[in-house]
Amino acid sequence: MTDFRQKVFDVKEENMLGLLRQKVGLRGLSAPVIGDYTQRLCPVASAMRHYSSATKQMTVRDALNSALNEEMAADSSVFVMGEEVGEYQGAYKITKGLLDKYGPERVVDTPITEAGFTGIGVGAAYHGLRPVVEFMTFNFALQGIDHIINSAAKSNYMSAGQINVPIVFRGPNGAAAGVGAQHSQCFAAWYATVPGLKVLVPYSAEDARGLLKAAIRDPDPVVFLENELLYGESFPVSDEVLDSNFCLPIGKAKVERKGIDVTITAYSKMVSFALKAAEILEKEGINAEVINLRSIRPLDRDTINASVRKTNRLVTVEEGFRQHGVGAEICATVVEDSFGYLDAPVERIAGADVPTPYAANLERFAFPQIEDIVRATKRVCYKSAAANA
């Protein structure tokens, strides 16, 4: 593949030219280029890989950093851009060390102008580069959402397949702690409604590393929704996960915990809550199966329905709003495909229908807690006092 470091961004924003330093000439996406993209995708067979027992620990932060580093080393068309990704090493230190290794032409510090650098990233992807655009929070991505939806998501369809847009939009999504309503919203359901986008929601270090690699290699735009509170969490990883060729298939969920009494679906930070709730429920005689969605567009409907047909009950968990949420889509899927297997109404656990409060005590009430999952699961299993009344 042509070394894109030798080319320049042809952009209108004059204040950004000094940062980028190079120009990109017009370049059509020929069959060989598209073929190269296809070769870099994760093989579907990786979904069937059997991992060895995990012996090492890795934080989600290090998993993301290592995935970026390895993909940048493997492909010179990959670069990162965003606010404070370079000199400051990243607002959350996800890009730590990358500026020193790859230089300012591939680790691009931008002004505080999401609309500007999101558009530049999409334009670079039009010309064959593979940008990874970091938002300090996905709340700020609202400034650039026109480029994400109208420029990135729709171009392949509107060009009759002639234009691929291999770009990743990544950063923390949802609530952190005490940052108020304008920095706490979950946008998963927003992006999951858009044809042309792929939307990934990692939970563990394995998810973060494998899914980010897959996102960077994908020929289509990927929205990569992380959680700030998970960055410092450590998870066991196997030697296979640490291999530079490791990546996970997009659109495939993971059964984190097998069970026979009830299915609990969750994504991102809520997977941890669901697993902890399952441990409590086990002591009370309820054996819950926990599904880590990993991807919400595409959604792994087969895994969800197969689990519900086994357990006959479903609880969905998400931080986002209940109305038109991810849980609502999962519920509709199960009703359409597995209604006859349900032995109880579906329970949906979601964020409160209010802007996120700033006060810590109110903020806690605004988002699902472990005890909420336990209570809902008992209801769906007819084990609660209310169900038995």
Side-chain angles (χ1 to χ4, degrees):
M1 181 181 285
T2 304
D3 188 347
F4 290 103
R5 288 176 297 179
Q6 303 293 318
K7 299 195 172 194
V8 195
F9 293 110
D10 183 22
V11 295
K12 294 181 179 179
E13 293 87 345
E14 293 295 329
N15 63 322
M16 296 297 292
L17 289 175
L19 291 170
L20 300 177
R21 299 183 178 179
Q22 295 181 322
K23 293 183 181 177
V24 172
L26 291 175
R27 184 176 186 275
L29 290 178
S30 61
V33 173
I34 296 174
D36 181 74
Y37 290 164
T38 305
Q39 291 174 8
R40 300 196 71 243
L41 295 177
C42 302
V44 176
S46 66
M48 306 302 294
R49 174 182 277 175
H50 297 285
Y51 300 123
S52 63
S53 58
T55 58
K56 300 178 178 65
Q57 294 284 320
M58 175 177 272
T59 65
V60 171
R61 177 181 290 106
D62 289 341
L64 294 168
N65 177 266
S66 64
L68 283 170
N69 179 38
E70 290 172 10
E71 293 306 300
M72 292 179 74
D75 186 345
S76 61
S77 69
V78 178
F79 73 99
V80 299
M81 67 187 306
E83 297 158 6
E84 300 182 345
V85 298
E87 295 289 347
Y88 190 67
Q89 307 287 310
Y92 305 98
K93 303 303 181 248
I94 304 301
T95 54
K96 184 177 181 180
L98 299 184
L99 177 64
D100 291 340
K101 187 170 184 178
Y102 299 104
E105 293 167 354
R106 295 184 65 195
V107 182
V108 183
D109 275 320
T110 68
I112 304 175
T113 170
E114 283 80 8
F117 67 74
T118 304
I120 289 173
V122 173
Y126 282 174
H127 291 293
L129 297 180
R130 291 181 174 270
V132 180
V133 176
E134 176 179 309
F135 296 114
M136 198 174 291
T137 162
F138 258 91
N139 297 271
F140 299 158
L142 290 174
Q143 303 294 322
I145 200 167
D146 178 55
H147 294 298
I148 298 172
I149 305 301
N150 285 325
S151 300
K154 299 176 182 178
S155 291
N156 184 261
Y157 175 83
M158 295 178 70
S159 68
Q162 296 181 75
I163 299 176
N164 288 98
V165 191
I167 186 171
V168 178
F169 305 101
R170 55 154 296 269
N173 170 69
V179 293
Q182 293 172 311
H183 300 81
S184 300
Q185 187 162 326
C186 176
F187 292 93
W190 284 42
Y191 292 110
T193 65
V194 181
L197 291 179
K198 295 174 182 175
V199 184
L200 306 182
V201 281
Y203 156 61
S204 65
E206 177 180 314
D207 292 355
R209 183 170 159 79
L211 290 175
L212 184 54
K213 281 175 163 285
I216 293 171
R217 299 176 189 187
D218 200 89
D220 297 313
V222 178
V223 172
F224 198 86
L225 303 174
E226 302 155 12
N227 187 282
E228 180 183 339
L229 298 180
L230 289 175
Y231 286 149
E233 292 290 320
S234 293
F235 293 87
V237 291
S238 65
D239 290 338
E240 287 85 352
V241 173
L242 297 174
D243 189 280
S244 61
N245 292 320
F246 173 77
C247 72
L248 291 169
I250 292 175
K252 182 66 178 174
K254 179 185 180 183
V255 177
E256 296 281 354
R257 186 184 194 277
K258 292 187 178 294
I260 58 173
D261 295 327
V262 59
T263 298
I264 304 175
T265 64
Y267 62 89
S268 191
K269 187 179 70 173
M270 289 295 106
V271 177
S272 173
F273 283 25
L275 289 170
K276 291 174 182 175
E279 292 176 4
I280 296 171
L281 291 163
E282 186 174 30
K283 297 174 183 177
E284 302 188 29
I286 298 175
N287 187 1
E289 180 152 293
V290 177
I291 297 178
N292 170 11
L293 295 175
R294 283 182 168 172
S295 170
I296 55 175
R297 187 177 186 98
L299 184 66
D300 188 354
R301 303 172 194 274
D302 291 343
T303 295
I304 295 168
N305 278 289
S307 179
V308 170
R309 292 179 184 188
K310 176 178 65 173
T311 66
N312 310 117
R313 294 171 174 84
L314 173 64
V315 176
T316 70
V317 187
E318 62 186 310
E319 274 191 314
F321 299 127
R322 176 183 172 92
Q323 184 164 322
H324 308 304
V326 175
E329 177 63 22
I330 292 171
C331 180
T333 292
V334 169
V335 168
E336 290 168 357
D337 297 337
S338 303
F339 180 76
Y341 291 85
L342 288 172
D343 287 343
V346 176
E347 287 274 354
R348 286 188 289 150
I349 309 299
D353 196 25
V354 295
T356 303
Y358 175 75
N361 59 332
L362 296 178
E363 183 182 56
R364 187 179 188 280
F365 284 124
F367 295 103
Q369 303 298 322
I370 296 169
E371 56 265 31
D372 298 323
I373 303 171
V374 171
R375 283 195 296 266
T377 305
K378 286 183 177 181
R379 287 196 300 269
V380 85
C381 292
Y382 303 117
K383 294 290 184 73
S384 68
N388 293 325

